[in-house]
Amino acid sequence: MNIDAKLGLDVFKLDKEPHIVIAQEVCATVCTNRACLYVCPADLYELDDAKRMTVNWEGCLECGTCMICCEPRALTWSYPRSQFGVQYRMS
Amino acid sequence: MEKVECIVVGGGLAGLSAAYGLAGAGAEVMVLERGDYAGAKNVTGGRLYVSPIRGFYPELWEEAPFERPVARELITMMGDGAHTTFELASDHLVAGPPQSYTVVRARLDQWLAEKVGEKGGMVVPGMKVDELLRKDGRIVGIRAGEDEIGADVVVVAEGVLRLLAEPAGLAARPDEKDHALGYKEVIELPAGVIEDRWNLNPGEGAAQLFLGTVTDGMMGGGFLYTNKESISLGVVVGMHAMKADGREIESHQLLERFKELPQIKPLVAGGTVAEYSAHAIPEGGIAKVPRLYGDGYVLAGDAAGLSLNALVTVRGMDFAIASGYHAAQAMLRAKAAGDFSAAGLASYEAALRDSFVLKDLETARAYPQFMEVPRLFRQYPTAVSRLFEDVFTVGPGPTPPLVKKAWRGVKRDFLRPSTLQDAWLARKL
C-alpha cells in the first residue's frame, strides 16, 4: 500500500493557508542533509524542478518530526488553525 | 479579559485528568482542545498501564472504554530471515484487575472529556491556543485567535512539541537527540481472528514488541497491540538515528517492509487498513524533564517530557494521567492558600517526586544512554535468532551436540569485547 493511499484513509479538514512555511533561502543555502525528505512519515517533502523544497502540507499528520529534525530551522511550523488539519478517528 | 480559575491547554489524557480532578473538587476549569473532539489529534502505540494509576479516580477505570486487557506479552528478536519470539502468558497480567489495556485514543479521550463535563468542567473542542500570556514574569492566561482568557493557573498539557511552552520560556525546544518518531496503521480484523492469531481467550489482548531488522538497525522497534476489532501495527525510530544513519531510508517505508516479511505477513493477512497516524515521542528521560511549575502554571504529560521507553515496557499515558492528577491536587492546595505563585504550586513537583512518575524515570536514568548502543538494534536481535536457528537445525549430515551448537553461537556472537562493554553499561538498567 503506498503512502498516498494510506493518507487517503485519514480525515483531513483543509485550511486555505499552509501551516508549514519553508524559508527557501535558509533551506537552500544552510541545510546540508535535507532530512525532511526522508524523516517525514507521510512523505510530504519533495524537491521541485528548480530544486526548491516543497511540502504538501495538506496531508500533514502533525507529528512535528520535520520541525524537530530541521537543523537550520528553515521551517515555520505551527499546528493548523482551530478546526483544521487531521482528525483521527481511532489512533 | 474574561477570567476563569484554571485553563487547561490540551484535551489529552494529562489535561483531562487535571480537569477531572479540578472539576470534581468544584474548581472552575476550562479545557481548550484544538481538535474537533478530545483525542482527534492524539496517537498512542498503544497500551495504557492502569496499575500505577488505579488509585487515582478509582471510579473511572472500571467503566473506561478500553480495548483489551493485555494477557500476553511478546518480544520478538528479528534477524535477517529469522525471528525469535519470547512470550509471556501469565495469570498475573489479568487476574484481579488487569495491569494494562490496549487503547484507542479517540474513544478513550472523548469518554474522559464527557466525564469532565459530568463533573462540571468545560471542555471546548476546536479551539487552538496560540500563545501563553505572560505578565510580570508570570503566566496569566492564554490567547486563542482574537480571544484572551485569564486564569489563576494554566495547566500546560499541549503535548510533546511545546509550541507554546518554548516561546513562553517554560521548556526547551524538542531536540532530535531526545525524540523518536512513532507511526502506525490501525488494521481492522474480526475479533475472532485476533483471538485465534494471538491465542487469546475471548476479550483478552496481546502486546508484541519487535527489535532488530524492523528499523534496519536504527534505534527503535516495531509494535503491535490488539484492539477489540483491529490491531495497531507500527514503528518507532529515533530521530537522531534516522539522520545519523546517512542512508536516508524514508521513514514510512520501514512499516511497509515490515508488513511484507514472511514472518509478519500472516499476522496482518486479510486485514483492512483503516487509519494511518504519526506522532513525536519524548525519549530523553529524567535528564530532560524541565522544571514542572512556575508562577501561574504547571507542565503535565508529554509537554513535561514524562515518558519512558525501558525497552520491554513503554509508558507515557499512565504518567500523563498521574501528572494531571497531581497537577489538580497542587492547584487545589494553591487555591486554598490563595497563592498561585511558584511557591504555591511547588507541591506539584514534590508530589511527582514522591510518586512512581519521577521515581520510575529516575530509576531509568541510564536508559536513554543505553539506547545509543547501536548493537542493541541489529547485532543482538540477529544473534539471538541465529543462536536459536542453530539449536533447532537438523542438517543432512551428523548434528553436533546441542550444548556444543549453543556454545558455538554464544562464542561467535556474544563473547566479544563490545558485548562485555555493553553488559557493563547495562548494569545500571
Side-chain angles (χ1 to χ4, degrees):
Chain A
M1 192 173 194
N2 73 29
I3 191 70
D4 291 334
K6 289 185 195 185
L7 295 176
L9 300 169
D10 291 344
V11 175
F12 291 100
K13 289 175 73 185
L14 295 185
D15 201 349
K16 291 189 201 73
E17 297 295 313
H19 65 285
I20 305 171
V21 178
I22 303 168
Q24 291 297 342
E25 178 69 19
V26 179
C27 181
T29 59
V30 184
C31 184
T32 53
N33 54 26
R34 296 279 165 96
C36 52
L37 288 172
Y38 58 92
V39 300
C40 172
D43 199 20
L44 300 177
Y45 287 84
E46 53 191 23
L47 291 167
D48 68 10
D49 294 341
K51 300 285 174 202
R52 282 161 52 98
M53 189 65 72
T54 61
V55 56
N56 301 306
W57 54 271
E58 296 89 341
C60 179
L61 302 172
E62 300 170 31
C63 70
T65 303
C66 58
M67 175 194 71
I68 296 175
C69 289
C70 182
E71 277 162 52
R73 305 199 180 181
L75 302 178
T76 303
W77 200 106
S78 60
Y79 286 128
R81 292 188 302 152
S82 298
Q83 299 170 35
F84 290 106
V86 69
Q87 309 287 339
Y88 291 123
R89 292 163 294 120
M90 286 175 274
S91 284
Chain B
M1 183 162 71
E2 183 193 352
K3 184 167 178 282
V4 295
E5 286 179 349
C6 182
I7 289 174
V8 176
V9 181
L13 292 176
L16 292 171
S17 167
Y20 184 82
L22 288 165
E28 186 187 16
V29 58
M30 183 190 276
V31 181
L32 304 179
E33 162 56 42
R34 68 188 180 89
D36 277 0
Y37 41 85
K41 303 285 186 178
N42 300 77
V43 182
T44 178
R47 168 241 297 270
L48 168 63
Y49 284 96
V50 178
S51 287
I53 54 161
R54 205 168 251 118
F56 312 139
Y57 317 132
E59 72 282 6
L60 283 180
W61 313 122
E62 292 297 313
E63 56 156 307
F66 297 135
E67 295 295 306
R68 292 169 180 265
V70 175
R72 285 179 187 260
E73 303 275 0
L74 301 92
I75 305 275
T76 299
M77 304 284 170
M78 301 168 57
D80 289 316
H83 294 187
T84 307
T85 297
F86 300 89
E87 175 167 1
L88 170 70
S90 160
D91 294 345
H92 295 294
L93 293 173
V94 280
Q99 77 158 10
S100 72
Y101 293 85
T102 58
V103 300
V104 164
R105 291 295 299 275
R107 274 175 215 152
L108 182 64
D109 293 32
Q110 277 184 88
W111 165 82
L112 191 51
E114 278 166 29
K115 293 289 149 187
V116 171
E118 286 171 18
K119 291 284 180 189
M122 196 194 321
V123 180
V124 186
M127 187 148 171
K128 178 194 162 201
V129 173
D130 294 305
E131 188 184 359
L132 300 175
L133 299 175
R134 281 196 89 112
K135 195 180 168 194
D136 304 329
R138 65 178 293 146
I139 301 297
V140 294
I142 62 95
R143 180 179 64 78
E146 308 281 289
D147 300 326
E148 293 192 348
I149 309 173
D152 292 327
V153 176
V154 177
V155 176
V156 183
E158 60 165 321
V160 56
L161 299 185
R162 297 176 174 168
L163 298 180
L164 303 170
E166 194 258 333
L170 312 186
R173 183 181 193 270
D175 188 299
E176 65 185 43
K177 290 187 191 68
D178 313 319
H179 290 77
L181 160 65
Y183 68 97
K184 70 170 183 179
E185 291 176 10
V186 179
I187 302 172
E188 289 173 340
L189 281 169
V193 171
I194 290 171
E195 285 151 10
D196 285 349
R197 281 186 194 174
W198 281 273
N199 301 315
L200 298 164
N201 292 311
E204 292 184 343
Q208 188 164 3
L209 298 177
F210 302 83
L211 277 179
T213 50
V214 55
T215 52
D216 205 8
M218 294 184 282
M219 186 206 113
F223 60 83
L224 187 158
Y225 295 98
T226 61
N227 305 316
K228 277 200 173 101
E229 294 188 306
S230 64
I231 59 170
S232 294
L233 181 74
V235 170
V236 171
V237 56
M239 291 186 189
H240 194 48
M242 278 194 282
K243 288 179 68 178
D245 192 68
R247 286 172 298 164
E248 306 195 354
I249 295 171
E250 293 191 355
S251 65
H252 66 97
Q253 290 176 346
L254 294 171
L255 181 54
E256 209 48 39
R257 286 187 208 168
F258 182 51
K259 282 168 69 181
E260 287 301 317
L261 293 172
Q263 292 82 6
I264 304 299
K265 221 170 179 173
L267 296 178
V268 297
T272 307
V273 182
E275 187 168 79
Y276 183 66
S277 55
H279 215 275
I281 307 167
E283 294 210 328
I286 189 83
K288 302 295 175 175
V289 173
R291 188 179 185 224
L292 296 173
Y293 65 99
D295 292 330
Y297 77 91
V298 295
L299 287 167
D302 273 5
L306 303 178
S307 75
L308 173 57
N309 177 354
L311 275 178
V312 296
T313 53
V314 183
R315 299 167 61 184
M317 292 185 289
D318 56 333
F319 291 175
I321 290 166
S323 64
Y325 171 86
H326 286 299
Q329 300 308 309
M331 154 86 190
L332 292 169
R333 283 188 289 269
K335 185 183 168 188
D339 178 5
F340 300 103
S341 70
L345 294 165
S347 72
Y348 171 52
E349 192 164 318
L352 286 180
R353 290 214 177 278
D354 260 348
S355 79
F356 71 90
V357 176
L358 291 181
K359 282 190 172 155
D360 287 358
L361 276 168
E362 185 58 54
T363 301
R365 185 176 277 276
Y367 271 93
Q369 194 199 346
F370 187 66
M371 298 286 192
E372 296 287 311
V373 172
R375 289 171 288 275
L376 209 54
F377 304 102
R378 188 188 300 280
Q379 279 94 325
Y380 295 147
T382 303
V384 168
S385 275
R386 276 217 285 188
L387 180 66
F388 277 80
E389 243 183 338
D390 290 350
V391 165
F392 282 100
T393 296
V394 177
T399 303
L402 174 64
V403 173
K404 198 172 174 185
K405 281 199 285 190
W407 177 240
R408 205 168 53 195
V410 169
K411 237 174 27 185
R412 177 187 62 216
D413 289 320
F414 293 101
L415 287 184
R416 292 157 166 251
S418 57
T419 312
L420 297 176
Q421 193 187 322
D422 296 345
W424 179 248
L425 249 184
R427 80 196 185 281
K428 288 187 186 159
L429 302 183

